[in-house]
Structure formats: C-alpha cells, structure tokens
Amino acid sequence: MKQAQLKLDPDFAIGEVDRRLFGSFVEHMGRCVYTGIYEPGHPTADHEGFRGDVLDLVRELGVSVVRYPGGNFVSGYRWEDGTGPREDRPTRLDLAWRSIETNEVGVNEFATWARRAGVSPMMAVNLGTRGVREAADLVEYCNHPGGTYWSDLRVKHGQAEPHAISLWCLGNELDGPWQTGHKTAQEYGRLAAEAAKAMRQVDPGIELVACGSSNSAMPTFGAWEATVLEHTYDHVDYVSLHAYYEEFDGDLDSFLACAQDMDQFIGAVVATCDHVGAKLRRRKKIRLSFDEWNVWYARRFPGHEHLESQHAPRLIEDNYHVADAVVVGSLLITLLRHADRVSVACQAQLANVIAPILTEPGGGVCRQTIFYPFAQAARFARGTVLRVEPTSPRYDTARFGEVPLLSAVATQDGEEVTVFAVNRSTTESLGLTANLRAVPGHEVVEHLALAEADHRLTNTVAEPDRVRPRVLAGASVTGDVLTAELPALSWNVIRLRRRA
C-alpha cells in the first residue's frame, strides 16, 4: 500500500471558514423550482406549496446561501412578473431554456422558502435585457422598510417585513454569446458599476458580486475580469467564477484530477484582481464568489436551441455515481484551501437539475451520491482552515500531467480537528500519516468514507440508499501521529477531538 503524509499545525492557517462556502443555486430551469422545491398537491407540501421532503433534505445538506433566480434565466426575467396575486401573474416564454414560465414562484415565495429552509437568499438582477432602474427597484422592493412605492407594494403583496437580502449578483455570465443581452467587458463593466451605485443608494449595506468569466476556457478570460474590475473595483465586493467538470471519453484519471483546474482558475482570478487593485492603488482586496460549480455532463445536453417549449421539462438531470461524488469532494477541498479569498460558493443546482437532490412529481425524493461530501463538509468544516501541504505518491493523467493521489485539507474549531481527504487511486488504498505534534492530545472520533467497489454505482428515487457513507475502523492516534487507510477512489472525513 502506498503512503502519504501531511502535517497539522495551527500556525499554518489559511483563513476562517465562511459558512457561505456551502451555498447552492435555484434557477427557474427544468424541474429545479417546479416539482423540485415547489409542488402544490404533493403529499408533503405545505400551505405555500413547498415540498416538505425536499425542505428536510436541504436542511440536512447544510446549505447556507442560495443564489436565485438564475443563471441564464435571469437575463430575460422581469422580476415584477413573480409578484402580486398568482392569478394575475403573466405566463412567459423563457428565452434561456425555451421553457414556459408561469411565475407561480417569485421573489416573495422564494424568500419565504429560504426562511423555512434556514438559508440566506443571494439575489441576481437582470443586466442582460434590463438595467440600472430595474435593479434598484428590486432592492427597494426587497429591502426598504416602507413608505415608498416599491416597498409599499411589497407590503400590499403580503410581506410586511423587508426580506433584508444582503448579497446580490450583478447579472449572470454576460461574457457568453449564449446570454440574452450578451455584452463586451467595457459595456458590462460600465453598466455593472452604475447599477451597483444605484443599488447601494437604496441600501448601502448590501454586498455585490460582479460577473467574471463564464469559465476559464473563454477566449476573453483574464481580459474580461481586468476590464470589468477597472470599472467596478470601488463598487463591488466579489467577482464570480463558474466551472463544471465531466469525464471525457472514459478518461477517469483526468476527471479525478479536475480540481487541479479549479485551483489554477482561482489562482489566476486572484492574480487578476490584485493586479487591478495595484494598478488603481487600492488597499481593498476583491474576494471571490465561486457561485456555479459542479460535475455536469454537458456533452449530453443538446443545447437550448433544440428544446421544445414546455413547463418544467426534465433538463440535465444527471444521475451521479461514486466517482462523481469523489470529484465533488476534491472540489470542496480546493474551495476550502482558498478560504483566504473564496468567501462564497454555490453548487449548481439544488434540486433535479445537476443536483444533489432528486425528486419525482407526486412521489419520492433521494440523496444523490454528491449529496454526502457536501453535507459532511458543511457540517464538519468549521473554524480555521489549515494548510496541510501533503506529501503524496503521484500518477500520470492525460490532461493535467502528474497529479498527487491525495487531495487533503484540515480545519480546526476549538478542541476539534477534521481532516478531509480524497484518494484518487482507482485500484488501491492509500495509507495516510498525519503529524499532530502541533495539536497534541487528540484522538479519533470517527472515520467516515464514501467508497464502493463499483464506482459507477448511483442512487435513485426507487433505490435511494445504494450508496451511503460508512464508518471505518482502523484510524488511530499513537503518540502524536494519526494513521488511517483511505479506500481506493474515496472521499474521507476523519474527525479528531482533544482527549478529556
């Protein structure tokens, strides 16, 4: 069995764990909203029509913040359509996904759902087909206490108290030619800056996210961020990143190493932000909002231009297997390793659409394999992130060259230390040794692992429990050394607590 080593030392702190790293995303796309979180008449639905079984799983998942309502959807969205009596709301053709949007769920319903789920909304404004005035109006509708047109309209609509939404996205992926209202970096940068100023005139306390590149393969990547930030640096708090990963042509080894790409992506955006800050002679540091990330088998999607117009169609409902879950675990580790600059992250999406939660209309619900790494990281990654700098055997990949078999990070929260680790080997276990001299007196509480002999195994609504984490025996601390065995192709959580 090959061996890997790491060291735990509170002096090697990266930063504090921001709970908003464990965010999610609800877009009016496919069945994420309709028959996902919302299904009147479902046996578990509450009086507002929200599915209770889904709410229970959202709470179990540990989601902290949820981005809404898009995504590509937002660039053609009139937020006013989703307010007021439902019987008066218009039915629209959504241009992004060629779907029929009934507007049964809008800003007030979503804010109500968020309160019940125990999450904070992250609201996106439409800067594709709309502009400064409409963005400021939405902030007034959501956040102003009363005594103005839009805030009084909210009260009239049954929401006496403001929603107090603190985190806002200035549009979505406007660098992308597919985006309704696609713009150049100059066009978007000027519009985003003016929208940001107007929105803060309504509510000075809000935080704002500028659109970064849709992905790091865009031909304008880097130049887009630099131009946009030259316009918006003084007016925004974050710049966004989006990335999706999939296995290409059976190359599992490269797929398992795709967190290398995320790591480089984050580093490049941080460098660009700091370059612009230096150029403008600002002490302020722009933080990162990685507000779309996941495994997505995008090559299976035919493209929006080939879709038929219908309400709540089944779109990109990927069924995730064990290897996908291990990759999601490695992406979570990467986000934690950049906790000094990445403050917000949203796994896309929450229900049905490339999601950890699958539902059937009128029927059951299940936790996909990717549910478990997210839920465990959200539950146990608390306090301070520690830089562990592992020493690991390496393996060759076609896309990323030599890559470590071990991906790992640790967090410390008072008397508790938690190690998160992925073994990328598809064939053999990996021995792990951790030096605990700087955190003496700890013992193993439990070693949780997600691993299966068949790494293509999935969960379904019909068979929801085929893949689950299990408790492993064998991890122990002798002196100030932790030893554990990480199964082949596995996500692992090793919890330590100071002895009484």
Side-chain angles (χ1 to χ4, degrees):
M1 182 169 58
K2 294 177 180 177
Q3 299 291 321
Q5 297 82 36
L6 55 82
K7 182 177 182 179
L8 301 179
D9 190 333
D11 288 338
F12 300 151
I14 296 172
E16 294 301 302
V17 179
D18 193 318
R19 301 313 305 165
R20 296 176 301 174
L21 284 175
F22 308 111
S24 190
F25 179 29
V26 167
E27 180 172 9
H28 285 251
M29 175 185 181
R31 297 194 309 116
C32 187
V33 174
Y34 304 111
T35 72
I37 67 170
Y38 175 80
E39 188 180 349
H42 188 273
T44 70
D46 61 20
H47 67 281
E48 292 281 353
F50 294 115
R51 286 184 59 152
D53 55 353
V54 175
L55 273 168
D56 288 342
L57 287 190
V58 171
R59 297 184 190 107
E60 181 184 333
L61 188 60
V63 171
S64 56
V65 62
V66 177
R67 185 167 167 250
Y68 176 85
N72 294 351
F73 172 83
V74 78
S75 290
Y77 183 51
R78 303 170 179 89
W79 66 263
E80 302 92 331
D81 288 351
T83 64
R86 282 196 173 111
E87 61 271 18
D88 295 336
R89 298 181 189 182
T91 295
R92 303 275 192 189
L93 174 64
D94 163 42
L95 301 181
W97 306 113
R98 294 197 56 78
S99 296
I100 304 300
E101 175 55 55
T102 63
N103 286 299
E104 292 175 68
V105 173
V107 59
N108 291 324
E109 288 80 18
F110 179 73
T112 298
W113 175 86
R115 286 192 293 271
R116 291 179 186 169
V119 305
S120 299
M122 179 182 187
M123 189 68 69
V125 299
N126 177 357
L127 293 186
T129 56
R130 306 189 89 185
V132 175
R133 179 71 272 163
E134 294 88 350
D137 288 346
L138 179 56
V139 177
E140 182 182 326
Y141 183 88
C142 290
N143 287 8
H144 198 70
T148 66
Y149 174 80
W150 289 111
S151 60
D152 285 348
L153 187 61
R154 183 198 69 243
V155 174
K156 182 180 177 181
H157 291 161
Q159 303 289 322
E161 297 299 319
H163 298 313
I165 297 172
S166 60
L167 188 58
W168 295 77
C169 300
L170 297 167
N172 175 74
E173 291 186 357
L174 285 154
D175 63 322
W178 58 85
Q179 199 71 210
T180 309
H182 164 62
K183 291 171 173 58
T184 67
Q186 288 282 359
E187 291 168 340
Y188 171 71
R190 291 199 67 239
L191 175 59
E194 295 306 315
K197 288 189 283 186
M199 292 164 72
R200 281 214 169 111
Q201 285 175 320
V202 178
D203 185 347
I206 60 176
E207 292 187 295
L208 298 170
V209 183
C211 286
S213 295
S214 303
N215 59 74
S216 61
M218 294 295 290
T220 54
F221 171 59
W224 171 275
E225 281 81 1
T227 300
V228 167
L229 286 171
E230 284 181 2
H231 288 286
T232 62
Y233 202 95
D234 292 333
H235 309 296
V236 303
D237 306 283
Y238 307 90
V239 65
S240 70
L241 300 83
H242 294 176
Y244 296 98
Y245 300 99
E246 63 182 307
E247 182 181 342
F248 291 103
D249 302 321
D251 185 3
L252 179 59
D253 285 341
S254 291
F255 177 50
L256 292 170
C258 65
Q260 301 290 108
D261 178 82
M262 177 185 265
D263 184 73
Q264 293 166 10
F265 188 9
I266 292 171
V269 175
V270 167
T272 304
C273 292
D274 290 349
H275 164 75
V276 176
K279 183 178 177 180
L280 297 176
R281 294 176 171 82
R282 300 292 191 268
R283 292 183 179 181
K284 167 186 172 181
K285 294 289 186 183
I286 296 290
R287 290 170 286 168
L288 274 55
S289 175
F290 215 125
D291 46 43
E292 284 188 36
W293 69 270
N294 206 351
V295 171
W296 173 23
Y297 289 88
R299 291 195 299 175
R300 300 173 185 169
F301 180 55
H304 70 278
E305 65 273 15
H306 300 294
L307 300 176
E308 296 182 6
S309 298
Q310 53 184 306
H311 176 62
R314 292 180 183 264
L315 293 182
I316 60 172
E317 297 193 7
D318 289 353
N319 192 203
Y320 293 110
H321 51 58
V322 174
D324 296 325
V326 173
V327 167
V328 164
S330 70
L331 298 175
L332 286 160
I333 287 170
T334 302
L335 291 169
L336 286 166
R337 289 177 59 199
H338 288 279
D340 56 331
R341 292 300 287 269
V342 181
S343 299
V344 180
C346 301
Q347 187 185 46
Q349 294 187 23
L350 183 61
N352 293 322
V353 178
I354 53 170
I357 298 170
L358 275 183
T359 73
E360 279 300 319
V365 66
C366 89
R367 304 167 187 84
Q368 292 233 60
T369 60
I370 65 170
F371 182 101
Y372 295 108
F374 188 103
Q376 291 176 339
R379 180 179 179 187
F380 298 122
R382 296 182 178 273
T384 304
V385 182
L386 305 182
R387 191 184 311 277
V388 297
E389 299 298 343
T391 302
S392 168
R394 305 175 76 84
Y395 73 107
D396 287 321
T397 69
R399 294 186 62 201
F400 303 107
E402 277 201 348
V403 173
L405 287 174
L406 175 68
S407 176
V409 74
T411 60
Q412 183 180 31
D413 185 25
E415 303 294 299
E416 296 191 1
V417 173
T418 305
V419 177
F420 303 92
V422 159
N423 176 12
R424 293 182 171 120
S425 173
T426 59
T427 58
E428 61 181 311
S429 297
L430 181 66
L432 176 64
T433 302
N435 185 328
L436 306 181
R437 290 177 187 170
V439 284
H442 282 72
E443 61 185 357
V444 174
V445 176
E446 62 180 348
H447 175 186
L448 301 167
L450 185 72
E452 297 289 342
D454 178 3
H455 63 258
R456 303 292 181 183
L457 200 60
T458 65
N459 289 337
T460 65
V461 173
E463 296 182 274
D465 296 316
R466 290 192 295 184
V467 179
R468 296 180 65 89
R470 63 182 188 271
V471 178
L472 298 187
S476 63
V477 176
T478 303
D480 291 322
V481 177
L482 164 69
T483 57
E485 181 178 339
L486 312 182
L489 195 58
S490 62
W491 155 262
N492 300 264
V493 179
I494 303 173
R495 298 177 56 219
L496 307 169
R497 183 180 297 138
R498 187 178 295 278
R499 300 184 188 93

